Amino acid sequence: MQNIYSKLPDISTTIFTVMSKMATKYGAINLSQGFPNFAVDPMLIDLVNIAMQKGYNQYAPMAGLVSLREVIAEKTNTLYGSTYHPETEITITSGATQGIFTSIAAFINPRDEVIIFKPAYDSYEPSIQLYGGKVIPIQLSAPDFTINWQEVASKITSKTKMVIINTPHNPSGSVLSKEDMLQLEKLLKGTDIILLSDEVYEHIIFDGQKHQSAALFPGLAERAFITASFGKTFHITGWKMGYCLAPKKLMAEFRKVHQFNIFCSNHPMQYALSEYLKTPNHYLSLPDFYQKKRDLFLSLLKDSRFTFSPASGTYFQLLKYTNITEEGDVAFAERLTKEHRIASIPVSVFNLHNQDDNVLRFCFAKTEDTLKQAAEVLCKI
Ligand SMILES: Cc1ncc(COP(=O)(O)O)c(C=O)c1O
């Protein structure tokens, strides 16, 4: 074979892999990639074991175990007052990433435009590009990452097929307000634009704020795919389990792709999650659990030379370092890993033209000990 024509010629290894590898190489405390370093609830592990013993070892139904879809319908109804029918409007996915990919694959055709907000989770763009779609990026800036809805209005054209939002937002830790969602609802009214609402951190929101799910707004819910992640909610990112909500007509198209993409996701884990979700406290306790970690981390950093505004949601905290160095964020993140043995994520890699706001993203989904060790290092810089 002489030539291989890449469909994604500009894509290289993700920054998460790069930084985690570097963290291992230099024996650094790894606050780069977003995964917890504490134990999973043993009850959840036992439930998987029970499921395997009970014989849940063959293919699950294509859209997911009925009992899991039922408990998700109940949860969504209780939290957001929305009624997603378990049979036709909820699909269990192999992580939110698959839900995102499948929503895009089902609808994006060559030259369709998709509006995304940068910094953005790094799976959106290549998924759009694989189907020939055109990414229309709107850059948000530190420290507030607020959306200028007039700018969004100016980017909507007859070719706009989809808008992707993410709240609570990775990497900034910001959240969309009710007013934001109402503005978006107004903008999309009367159009056929699909909304992809990435809500993987729906249960990680702080200071008494309420998560503004697209499910709460009828004009958004009628056009929305909402993606969720059990990985984020139950500290099991390695299980790659999630789900997707959408009105029946949209979900029917989603499933046409889903059935040939993965057909179904992991069966015993679906059984375990269906039982575990019956106790709402397993997810309702999350804001408190993570707010304690955020507050501990920030209280330990109060005398450092980093500056910050506390994250409103997610388990990421941005730290600005202009009091320390004029280096670019990639160079500084690399130096921190090699010289100070602490790994973070430089936010510019998620930005349009690598806009550098001189902020690094630190994951605080870590044990108290790890956070204390990390803060000790950061305070010396
Ligand atoms: C904003 C966002 N969306 C989606 C995902 C992917 O979730 P999952 O691991 O369930 O595929 C992540 C994971 O980091 C994320 O931060």
Side-chain angles (χ1 to χ4, degrees):
M1 242 182 105
Q2 293 289 310
N3 299 302
I4 290 178
Y5 297 100
S6 172
K7 286 189 78 178
L8 297 170
D10 300 327
I11 299 291
S12 52
T13 315
T14 78
I15 187 70
F16 306 113
T17 308
V18 172
M19 292 312 292
S20 280
K21 251 188 172 166
M22 203 184 279
T24 309
K25 183 171 172 194
Y26 291 94
I29 302 169
N30 190 0
L31 302 196
S32 62
Q33 204 171 357
F35 61 86
N37 75 338
F38 38 82
V40 178
D41 185 346
M43 181 184 170
L44 192 47
I45 309 251
D46 286 346
L47 283 167
V48 177
N49 204 358
I50 290 168
M52 288 179 168
Q53 305 289 354
K54 277 188 166 184
Y56 287 80
N57 298 308
Q58 309 309 330
Y59 295 124
M62 185 268 280
L65 200 65
V66 176
S67 57
L68 178 55
R69 285 186 272 153
E70 281 171 352
V71 72
I72 291 169
E74 212 175 295
K75 162 183 181 279
T76 314
N77 183 252
T78 310
L79 291 177
Y80 309 123
S82 50
T83 48
Y84 286 94
H85 199 290
E87 213 167 286
T88 51
E89 299 185 311
I90 300 173
T91 301
I92 309 305
T93 58
S94 294
T97 309
Q98 189 237 317
I100 293 163
F101 188 86
T102 302
S103 311
I104 291 169
F107 283 95
I108 299 307
N109 288 305
R111 289 173 292 286
D112 281 346
E113 295 184 355
V114 182
I115 295 177
I116 69 167
F117 298 93
K118 306 274 280 175
Y121 181 60
D122 64 352
S123 86
Y124 306 157
E125 262 182 88
S127 308
I128 296 162
Q129 286 160 352
L130 269 178
Y131 290 93
K134 185 172 176 200
V135 175
I136 307 294
I138 294 180
Q139 181 64 51
L140 310 178
S141 290
D144 299 327
F145 297 88
T146 46
I147 294 177
N148 175 344
W149 292 106
Q150 272 178 346
E151 186 184 355
V152 182
S154 75
K155 302 274 179 172
I156 293 180
T157 72
S158 56
K159 290 190 191 143
T160 309
K161 184 60 141 316
M162 183 181 273
V163 174
I164 305 182
I165 57 170
N166 168 219
T167 182
H169 181 243
N170 172 17
S172 74
S174 63
V175 298
L176 293 180
S177 65
K178 183 176 176 187
E179 187 49 35
D180 285 316
M181 299 303 268
L182 289 171
Q183 292 270 4
L184 180 60
E185 190 175 42
K186 209 163 104 190
L187 269 186
L188 299 185
K189 194 173 176 196
T191 73
D192 290 328
I193 297 171
I194 291 164
L195 176 67
L196 173 51
S197 188
D198 180 355
E199 303 186 13
V200 297
Y201 300 102
E202 68 179 312
H203 299 300
I204 311 181
I205 185 160
F206 310 130
D207 307 314
Q209 294 182 86
K210 185 172 158 50
H211 170 58
Q212 300 297 329
S213 172
L216 285 164
F217 302 85
L220 295 180
E222 65 167 350
R223 63 181 74 245
F225 286 104
I226 298 176
T227 50
S229 170
F230 292 118
K232 305 296 178 185
T233 303
F234 297 138
H235 324 308
I236 47 169
T237 59
W239 291 16
K240 291 303 287 186
M241 295 294 296
Y243 61 90
C244 183
L245 309 171
K248 187 175 172 180
K249 277 188 184 165
L250 290 180
M251 189 52 89
E253 295 303 313
F254 179 100
R255 288 183 183 173
K256 286 180 191 173
V257 178
H258 176 85
Q259 67 180 336
F260 298 116
N261 180 6
I262 62 155
F263 184 71
C264 66
S265 62
N266 188 300
H267 203 174
M269 285 168 183
Q270 291 193 53
Y271 171 85
L273 289 163
S274 71
E275 290 297 311
Y276 198 68
L277 272 171
K278 286 179 184 161
T279 307
N281 200 44
H282 287 149
Y283 48 87
L284 295 179
S285 58
L286 233 58
D288 192 40
F289 175 79
Y290 275 118
Q291 188 167 326
K292 283 197 178 107
K293 291 194 181 291
R294 179 201 66 175
D295 290 348
L296 170 71
F297 188 48
L298 292 184
S299 71
L300 294 168
L301 290 179
K302 71 178 186 321
D303 296 325
S304 77
R305 291 199 290 160
F306 290 93
T307 54
F308 49 80
S309 17
S312 296
T314 75
Y315 45 50
F316 302 113
Q317 177 63 49
L318 294 188
L319 298 181
K320 193 168 175 75
Y321 61 82
T322 35
N323 289 342
I324 299 171
T325 175
E326 287 177 359
E327 276 164 290
D329 65 354
V330 173
F332 187 46
E334 284 182 11
R335 191 161 69 80
L336 281 186
T337 312
K338 289 177 189 166
E339 288 178 18
H340 298 274
R341 307 213 187 289
I342 184 152
S344 58
I345 294 286
V347 173
S348 69
V349 299
F350 306 119
N351 281 342
L352 188 57
H353 310 308
N354 294 339
Q355 173 180 303
D356 192 345
D357 291 329
N358 302 114
V359 285
L360 299 178
R361 190 199 78 174
F362 291 84
C363 173
F364 57 81
K366 306 292 168 191
T367 61
E368 236 180 83
D369 263 4
T370 305
L371 293 175
K372 282 179 183 162
Q373 281 170 32
E376 198 177 317
V377 174
L378 293 170
C379 283
K380 286 186 191 146
I381 295 164

